[in-house]
Amino acid sequence: MNDMKPIKPDFKIVGTRPVRPDGVDKVTGKAAYAADMAMPGMLHGRIKRSPHAHARIVSIDTRKALALKGVKAVITAEDFPELDPSIVAAGGEAHHNMANYSANCMARGKALYEGHAVAAVAATSPSIARQALELIEVVYEPMPHVTDLLEAMKPDAPLLHDNMFTQGLPETPTKASNIAKFFKQERGNLEEGFASADLVFEQRYTTQPVHQGYIEPHACVASVSADGQAMVWCSSQGQFMVRDFSAKIVGMNQADLRVVPAEIGGGFGGKTVVYLEPLAIVLSRKAGRPVKIVMSRDEVFRATGPTSASVMDVKIGVMKDGRIVAGDVDCKFQAGGFTGSPVMAATMTALASYDVPHCRVTGWDIVTNTPKVAAYRAPAAPNAAFAVESALDEIARELGMDPMTLREINAVRNGMTAIYGAPLQHIGLVETLDAIKQHPHYEAPLGPNQGRGLAVGFWFNGGGESSVTVSINPDGTVSVATGTPDIGGSRASSAMMVAEALGVPYEKVRPIVADTASVGFNEITGGSRVTFSNGLALVRASEQLVDEIRLRAGLIWDVPADQVAYADGIATCLAPDRAETPLLLGEIADKAAHFGGPLSKEVALNADGVAPCFGVHLCDVEVDPDTGNVTVLRYTAAQDVGRAIHPSYVEGQIQGGAAQGIGWALNEEYVFNAKGQMENSGFLDYRMPIASDLPMIDTIMVEVPNPVHPYGVKGVGEVPIVPPLAAVANAVRDAIGKRICDLPLSPTRIHAAMTAG
Amino acid sequence: MTGFQYSAPVSVEEAVALLAVDGKARLLAGGTDLMVQMRSGRVAPSQVVDIKRIPGAIGIRQENGGFVIGAGTSCAALGEHAALCAAWPGVVEGANLIGSTQVQGRATMAGNLCNASPAADSVPALVAAGARCLVVGPQGQREIAVQDIPVTPGRNSLAPGEFVLELRLPARPAGASDAYLRAIPRTEMDIAVVGAGVNLVVAPDGTIIEAHVALGAVAPTVLLVKDAGAALVGSKLDDAALQRMEQAVSAACKPISDKRGTAEYRKSIAAVLARRTAKIAYQRAGERS
Amino acid sequence: MSKVYVSSVVNGDPVEFLCDADTSLLDALRDELGLTGAKEGCGTGDCGACSIMLDGRLVCSCLVLGPEAEGRQIDTIEGMAEGSELHPLQRQFLEHAALQCGFCTPGLLVASKALLERNPDPSETEIRFWLAGNLCRCTGYDKIIRAVQDAAAELRQERSVA
């Protein structure tokens, strides 16, 4: 196949596994995360949060708190401008409505979930700040609340927003509801499709809210000067996002706000929005001193993330030979206190792995009295894949067909069109399925109480806006500035791509993640976009530098640039009859002042031409027949990675995503009590996978390169969390002989299923 | 946490005096519960009295064939004590299930007991073992059974100024051993959904001559299920005896449904765990006869 | 409220600091001594990011009061490398790419070192259970376990040569 041919087979650095540039600081404790920052005169901020899931805020009296010695500022929603709903995030991302984000950062008029911020203080010590919180008197008028997604959809459900009229329907309703938006993707003729099917399978699947679970709680330090210029140091997935959101929420010019990215202790999508920064800025502005705010783990659970609870109704029609002829999937997703669940992505991804001639996927965005959801690794795709891949597993059983064969028959192939309209090119699903099929795991025998599950996942991958600067220093070393936080090794891959393109050793390239004043605009680290988009920009900048180097060498030798060859850090004169000694990159750079000036290129681009990727996961479990406990015995994940720049970090993404998915499948969930308060807001009872819960996770990197990227990069970070939910659920089904359609597959739930009739 | 006075007395008398100052003084042993409770605001002590510098508060000594364990002794230290592990493997494994390796480095059995959680991992095996506590206080000292310490979830029977200074495990005859198992959704780092401790004395011919079965997390306090123990006595742990024990266990359970498991699940699992635990204890006892 | 005076030995050096009685040892290390390598991920002893050695025992520094450190020996991630010479565990973590965000890494390294000092040849299961209190959300633990295994082998080799 044409796609499989290596685009540039003679890599020197791409595909190797060097130590990451930021590694030593991270193993010695030197790496500076946001909470490690301290400034002279710094105050400590704390946030007062609603104990009610839904309550009108009648009044907030801050006088006693302000009177406490050491308290320097107290703020409420009144300290923030009221924003017009037309103000959205950079790039016109309408689902990031800034009025909603402002009200999410600081409740305005109503608290919409337990943990919703209602006031904040800055004081000279953390303990004074804590005491001050106790002195803020908030009068609430508690209102009926609704945390459950389906309950929230009922016509008589407590209303979160009086002005919410479902968008996206053919006719906008006149009655307000908790149904924020409706989405639909369709193709073909659904009725015709189902009418022609030999077998129609229908089932409902549900998932609970789960948290991204990054180990570093949100933290920031803000320092505002008397003239209104400000700096913020924080942990986020995008310093430019923080600048954009914060400037809009507090009402300041973006040029007056410089955001410095600290090291980030995990994000997984959860740090793609702001919670603390606007509060710290306003507190600092009021107090005239720097303000630091660090969340507790309890606050992280109650007030940030999570991802949506979801209810998915799947109807799939197949022929006896396994061909899927029709698919109808309805997805209801919880948005939390404000609109903005990722349900649209559910409608786009649910059937994206298969060629379904007649299909429809609908989606509903539902507000509930729970924390506003944030992105979580391939947002919505794991939920949708859990439903569809579980259904396919049952269909394969009903057809008496191997689950792999069913998927092979229906897998999307190059030249097809995705349900959302994009042409599918350079995709590697078939190759990835085959990689699993050829793996020894696929045929390995199973013991009693054991089962095996297979599942497929799809993710779009991302492109978008990236700006980078690549500079050759006078000694021939290279400095690289990118503007996307390094969440899992992007400095390593950046340095590798530049080193490859410039023909210099990896160790001579030093990348940084620059602040918002030091590099052009960048979108967030998210959507599996960084290595693709930044990579395009970095390689382009490097190629421009190579042209420049040839030009400079030509100036030194007084020959035209086309008479200069450059490779491996050495310029060679090709001019006939000239016996010039080749010039090292450093020698050319050192003469820059006299031959053309600084050797530096900035490339700002909007990357297009991204190719989607697929993951195929195989999971073996053993279920304790008496207790319902699940042990994951063996796990193999194959993925079409495009091209792995640094294979270790690609494997790491696959392993990490699989582990998160296993946690989502087995134990993780938000538990709310009757008052709508979260009952398990700590790591002890939230139960993410620990080291002893997991086996080694075998990875298979299938390389079907994307030719749009000079090194074939596609994006790898998100798809690994898409298949595990169904892979685990299908394995449990195989082990116990019963299908459980509701996550998590906790021992209690499995035990109940096993003991029921 | 809000401000408190910290003290680290070096005598029992001093500690008792400090703890008796007011009703809001709290004792600090391992701190793995107290620190979390203070941080969340659930407790706001006036005084925190660290007992670990009292001579004898940390350490394990053998006395009259049994063991005396200082209240400040970490669970990790229990696991490193070969003689204790040989005589009371179930007590040690219960203690060694509390939290992580890190938590083990600090957590104490006395603290686990006095915290009075029905799910405390070290308590069922201690109860099954017939362990006793040396309680010191303003009125002097007294010795009470371990199961008399917890009263309701989160409340213990100690009077103001009193604290547990030592845990005492009795001497072991030949053919005696014990075991503890718990059910949790993960493999570690969890609070027991159900816990079961079984302590057996087995005659050389394999007949059980003494049996104690204690359950955690199925009632407001750890339960000593006398009928379950009685069901095993005289048997060689045959299926019939195990079934009788399971019935006794199920009958004794009065669990609640909460975020960690349903009442129904707890009841069912308690019997399963008691059976598995009894088998381990029986095998261990056989190896020591 | 007056502060408590504490004198202890951190990474071999005598230190003195003042802290409120209710300050955790983690906060004392970070805020009073500027040793920010230990991290707070939860503050409740459930994530292990704040792991340190206290008198030779692995503990969560968030569960220790600052004043309890009086007269004690404390070892933190900052003391693991000898000058610029990384400990084999640190090197193996880098070689294996056993870290992504790096936030849990100091705690994992301190905990792994404590394991290898007690058990120079741990099985995979022993490593996994010893490290069960160190949450990592990025890696799925696979590369961490392998790094610890390889560091253990390297340390055994060193010992047998020495």
Side-chain angles (χ1 to χ4, degrees):
Chain A
M1 202 154 83
N2 212 20
D3 274 350
M4 294 294 284
K5 207 158 50 183
I7 296 167
K8 203 176 167 187
D10 53 345
F11 294 122
K12 291 199 168 67
I13 291 163
V14 166
T16 63
R17 299 173 185 244
V19 167
R20 60 198 284 170
D22 51 312
V24 169
D25 280 359
K26 284 182 173 159
V27 297
T28 52
K30 279 205 185 77
Y33 297 81
D36 301 336
M37 175 75 184
M39 289 184 80
M42 187 174 80
L43 302 173
H44 300 269
R46 283 284 186 283
I47 297 168
K48 190 169 183 75
R49 298 181 180 279
S50 169
H52 304 288
H54 196 192
R56 197 171 306 286
I57 300 167
V58 178
S59 64
I60 304 178
D61 188 340
T62 61
R63 284 171 299 180
K64 282 183 192 160
L66 270 169
L68 183 68
K69 269 209 168 94
V71 173
K72 298 297 175 187
V74 182
I75 58 168
T76 66
E78 286 185 15
D79 294 281
F80 294 84
E82 274 203 59
L83 299 181
D84 190 277
S86 65
I87 302 173
V88 298
E93 293 210 42
H95 63 285
H96 283 165
N97 171 310
M98 288 301 123
N100 283 348
Y101 275 95
S102 175
N104 191 44
C105 287
M106 190 61 90
R108 191 177 282 277
K110 264 197 347 179
L112 290 168
Y113 52 90
E114 185 228 3
H116 200 163
V118 296
V121 305
T124 50
S125 81
S127 68
I128 294 172
R130 273 194 301 272
Q131 289 170 49
L133 288 189
E134 302 296 316
L135 296 173
I136 298 173
E137 292 169 359
V138 185
V139 178
Y140 294 100
E141 181 192 320
M143 303 169 71
H145 68 273
V146 58
T147 56
D148 181 80
L149 165 63
L150 294 177
E151 289 295 320
M153 294 181 80
K154 291 183 176 165
D156 56 348
L159 264 192
L160 272 76
H161 305 278
D162 299 334
N163 58 352
M164 182 169 282
F165 303 94
T166 313
Q167 295 174 21
L169 291 173
E171 242 175 273
T172 305
T174 53
K175 184 175 181 288
S177 74
N178 294 321
I179 306 171
K181 281 180 191 159
F182 173 73
F183 299 90
K184 184 164 76 170
Q185 311 283 339
E186 63 184 331
R187 124 168 115 202
N189 183 325
L190 208 57
E191 269 179 42
E192 217 174 86
F194 281 116
S196 70
D198 292 328
L199 169 73
V200 176
F201 176 88
E202 280 186 83
Q203 185 58 258
R204 168 169 282 195
Y205 301 89
T206 70
T207 71
Q208 294 302 311
V210 295
H211 198 273
Q212 294 80 353
Y214 32 80
I215 311 299
E216 179 204 27
H218 298 256
C220 75
V221 178
S223 180
V224 184
S225 298
D227 65 357
Q229 293 192 67
M231 285 187 78
V232 167
W233 293 259
C234 66
S235 156
S236 82
Q237 284 176 250
Q239 58 270 44
F240 291 92
M241 174 281 296
V242 171
R243 184 182 71 172
D244 180 42
F245 278 46
S246 301
K248 284 169 180 160
I249 289 170
V250 310
M252 66 190 291
N253 293 331
Q254 296 201 3
D256 285 340
L257 177 56
R258 183 172 163 200
V259 179
V260 183
E263 292 294 343
I264 172 171
F268 315 108
K271 292 177 181 167
T272 57
V273 294
V274 295
Y275 298 99
L276 299 178
E277 292 82 357
L279 276 53
I281 290 169
V282 173
L283 283 169
S284 174
R285 191 156 67 187
K286 266 198 153 175
R289 289 164 66 170
V291 174
K292 177 177 185 172
I293 313 181
V294 182
M295 277 196 198
S296 67
R297 178 56 50 184
D298 182 73
E299 289 179 288
V300 172
F301 273 116
R302 289 183 204 277
T304 76
T307 195
S308 307
S310 58
V311 174
M312 289 145 300
D313 291 295
V314 178
K315 183 178 175 187
I316 290 176
V318 290
M319 306 306 292
K320 282 197 184 104
D321 64 6
R323 271 181 304 127
I324 303 173
V325 287
D328 189 9
V329 184
D330 181 66
C331 307
K332 300 178 179 76
F333 272 55
Q334 178 186 46
F338 300 90
T339 175
S341 81
V343 69
M344 186 170 80
T347 65
M348 296 161 80
T349 61
L351 295 171
S353 298
Y354 305 107
D355 178 32
V356 186
H358 307 287
C359 55
R360 175 176 70 183
V361 190
T362 45
W364 306 85
D365 182 39
I366 314 298
V367 294
T368 54
N369 292 115
T370 55
K372 179 181 180 350
V373 303
Y376 181 22
R377 205 168 196 159
N383 313 51
F386 165 61
V388 170
E389 295 294 315
S390 297
L392 288 181
D393 197 68
E394 286 303 315
I395 289 169
R397 282 173 196 281
E398 291 199 24
L399 292 174
M401 185 177 269
D402 183 280
M404 173 65 82
T405 311
L406 179 65
R407 286 167 174 91
E408 284 173 328
I409 291 169
N410 294 290
V412 285
R413 288 160 166 84
N414 281 316
M416 292 178 176
T417 304
I419 185 174
Y420 52 90
L424 294 168
Q425 287 174 323
H426 321 297
I427 62 169
L429 175 55
V430 172
E431 293 82 348
T432 310
L433 284 165
D434 195 53
I436 283 288
K437 204 172 164 182
Q438 303 304 326
H439 193 278
H441 182 178
Y442 190 72
E443 296 285 351
L446 288 168
N449 302 314
Q450 297 180 357
R452 178 165 296 151
L454 173 79
V456 171
F458 162 91
W459 188 246
F460 313 94
N461 291 327
E465 294 172 275
S466 282
S467 304
V468 302
T469 308
V470 181
S471 306
I472 297 173
N473 303 316
D475 63 354
T477 58
V478 183
S479 295
V480 174
T482 64
T484 49
D486 180 350
I487 201 162
S490 64
R491 269 166 293 194
S493 61
S494 297
M496 290 173 76
M497 289 188 282
V498 169
E500 185 76 52
L502 284 177
V504 299
Y506 167 77
E507 294 74 20
K508 292 206 170 176
V509 183
R510 291 300 182 198
I512 64 156
V513 183
D515 66 68
T516 54
S518 308
V519 70
F521 180 81
N522 279 268
E523 288 181 39
I524 55 166
T525 298
S528 300
R529 64 172 290 274
V530 165
T531 312
F532 178 74
S533 305
N534 289 14
L536 276 177
L538 289 165
V539 174
R540 193 172 295 170
S542 302
E543 286 168 352
Q544 289 176 9
L545 280 168
V546 168
D547 291 344
E548 197 66 32
I549 291 160
R550 293 170 62 219
L551 189 74
R552 306 296 177 86
L555 288 176
I556 294 168
W557 289 321
D558 198 18
V559 301
D562 62 9
Q563 295 289 300
V564 179
Y566 174 81
D568 298 333
I570 300 166
T572 315
C573 185
L574 301 177
D577 311 325
R578 294 282 292 268
E580 299 290 349
T581 311
L583 285 166
L584 297 174
L585 179 57
E587 294 175 297
I588 300 166
D590 199 34
K591 293 182 170 67
H594 306 288
F595 296 94
L599 268 171
S600 184
K601 291 290 176 194
E602 177 166 357
V603 169
L605 53 72
N606 198 347
D608 212 351
V610 71
C613 67
F614 298 85
V616 182
H617 291 199
L618 193 64
C619 172
D620 291 356
V621 300
E622 181 168 325
V623 181
D624 184 324
D626 297 323
T627 66
N629 275 73
V630 176
T631 305
V632 180
L633 298 171
R634 186 170 185 181
Y635 203 97
T636 307
Q639 184 172 321
D640 164 22
V641 302
R643 172 106 54 214
I645 300 296
H646 192 307
S648 295
Y649 287 103
V650 173
E651 291 163 359
Q653 290 293 324
I654 297 173
Q655 291 163 338
Q660 285 185 315
I662 292 168
W664 193 340
L666 290 179
N667 283 311
E668 293 179 36
E669 66 176 320
Y670 270 51
V671 179
F672 293 102
N673 65 19
K675 292 178 177 170
Q677 298 159 326
M678 188 183 183
E679 287 249 293
N680 58 337
S681 60
F683 280 144
L684 186 61
D685 282 315
Y686 178 72
R687 297 193 181 116
M688 306 194 317
I690 52 177
S692 50
D693 289 344
L694 295 173
M696 291 296 188
I697 295 167
D698 281 345
T699 58
I700 311 169
M701 292 179 285
V702 179
E703 294 200 318
V704 180
N706 176 9
V708 170
H709 187 284
Y711 303 142
V713 167
K714 278 182 176 167
V716 296
E718 283 170 293
V719 84
I721 202 177
V722 183
L725 284 60
V728 172
N730 291 345
V732 169
R733 161 68 181 83
D734 195 36
I736 68 171
K738 285 185 178 168
R739 171 66 60 176
I740 302 171
C741 300
D742 307 299
L743 295 186
L745 302 174
S746 60
T748 307
R749 187 168 270 152
I750 292 179
H751 183 265
M754 287 193 300
T755 48
Chain B
M1 288 180 228
T2 46
F4 53 73
Q5 295 284 328
Y6 169 85
S7 49
V10 293
S11 73
V12 169
E13 295 70 28
E14 212 186 324
V16 167
L18 285 161
L19 284 166
V21 166
D22 63 38
K24 291 176 75 185
R26 293 297 287 247
L27 177 141
L28 172 68
T32 52
D33 283 319
L34 183 64
M35 290 290 286
V36 176
Q37 290 163 357
M38 290 194 298
R39 188 186 159 95
S40 72
R42 257 178 295 157
V43 301
S46 57
Q47 297 268 332
V48 167
V49 183
D50 181 356
I51 58 149
K52 292 192 292 297
R53 291 178 198 249
I54 299 173
I58 295 179
I60 302 160
R61 58 179 202 274
Q62 283 171 273
E63 216 174 82
N64 305 325
F67 293 86
V68 176
I69 299 164
T73 310
S74 71
C75 293
L78 304 180
E80 291 160 6
H81 196 283
L84 181 69
C85 291
W88 294 101
V91 168
V92 174
E93 72 195 349
N96 283 352
L97 284 173
I98 301 167
S100 60
T101 317
Q102 286 84 341
V103 168
Q104 290 286 306
R106 294 275 294 170
T108 66
M109 283 206 296
N112 196 227
L113 175 66
C114 295
N115 191 50
S117 161
D121 274 313
S122 71
V123 179
L126 281 173
V127 167
R132 299 180 69 77
C133 305
L134 179 69
V135 174
V136 293
Q139 318 308 329
Q141 61 180 55
R142 62 197 176 105
E143 201 184 280
I144 60 171
V146 155
Q147 61 264 45
D148 293 335
I149 294 280
V151 179
T152 55
R155 235 191 78 219
N156 64 41
S157 64
L158 298 174
E162 280 193 324
F163 68 94
V164 171
L165 183 65
E166 291 171 357
L167 289 168
R168 297 177 169 182
L169 286 161
R172 290 299 247 170
S177 197
D178 66 341
Y180 175 77
L181 284 179
R182 65 173 179 180
I184 52 169
R186 293 192 288 189
T187 49
E188 264 282 3
M189 298 301 291
D190 249 323
I191 304 292
V193 179
V194 177
V198 176
N199 177 25
L200 300 177
V201 182
V202 180
D205 72 345
T207 306
I208 296 171
I209 48 180
E210 198 182 319
H212 307 279
V213 177
L215 302 172
V218 293
T221 60
V222 168
L223 287 182
L224 179 65
V225 189
K226 294 217 164 94
D227 292 349
L232 300 179
V233 173
S235 80
K236 293 186 177 176
L237 209 71
D238 51 281
D239 236 29
L242 282 167
Q243 271 176 24
R244 284 197 303 276
M245 181 201 66
E246 287 190 3
Q247 280 160 8
V249 162
S250 297
C253 288
K254 290 172 190 65
I256 55 162
S257 290
D258 65 8
K259 62 189 172 187
R260 296 183 181 126
T262 60
E264 203 179 14
Y265 180 70
R266 288 193 156 107
K267 215 164 180 159
S268 164
I269 296 309
V272 170
L273 280 189
R275 170 186 281 260
R276 291 181 181 180
T277 312
K279 284 184 173 173
I280 298 169
Y282 187 76
Q283 196 200 331
R284 285 178 181 164
E287 287 160 7
R288 287 173 59 84
S289 61
Chain C
M1 192 180 53
S2 60
K3 298 213 175 215
V4 182
Y5 166 83
V6 182
S7 146
S8 45
V9 175
V10 177
N11 297 325
D13 298 324
V15 300
E16 297 167 84
F17 60 90
L18 293 174
C19 70
D20 290 334
D22 60 4
T23 305
S24 71
L25 180 55
L26 172 62
D27 284 345
L29 288 169
R30 291 175 54 84
D31 300 338
E32 309 302 333
L33 297 174
L35 295 170
T36 54
K39 307 295 181 195
E40 179 175 307
C42 67
T44 52
D46 300 312
C47 79
C50 66
S51 296
I52 60 157
M53 300 298 282
L54 181 64
D55 279 350
R57 221 179 251 303
L58 180 67
V59 301
C60 284
S61 57
C62 75
L63 294 184
V64 179
L65 283 175
E68 286 187 82
E70 172 62 32
R72 306 286 189 213
Q73 302 258 355
I74 294 163
D75 292 286
T76 71
I77 184 64
E78 285 89 348
M80 192 181 269
E82 303 215 7
S84 60
E85 185 70 25
L86 296 182
H87 187 276
L89 274 163
Q90 293 173 308
R91 259 191 298 105
Q92 291 294 348
F93 266 57
L94 291 176
E95 292 295 333
H96 279 269
L99 55 140
Q100 285 174 34
C101 80
F103 194 77
C104 69
T105 309
L108 272 157
L109 285 165
V110 170
S112 301
K113 183 163 177 266
L115 168 64
L116 299 187
E117 279 163 5
R118 296 163 51 100
N119 181 354
D121 192 8
S123 67
E124 182 192 333
T125 303
E126 286 170 330
I127 298 172
R128 286 186 182 277
F129 276 87
W130 181 272
L131 296 178
N134 290 85
L135 283 177
C136 169
R137 190 64 155 171
C138 293
T139 64
Y141 304 103
D142 184 301
K143 292 182 187 301
I144 291 170
I145 307 300
R146 292 177 201 276
V148 175
Q149 286 172 326
D150 281 7
E154 195 182 322
L155 284 162
R156 286 197 302 275
Q157 184 101 28
E158 265 176 35
R159 274 192 207 115
S160 68
V161 171

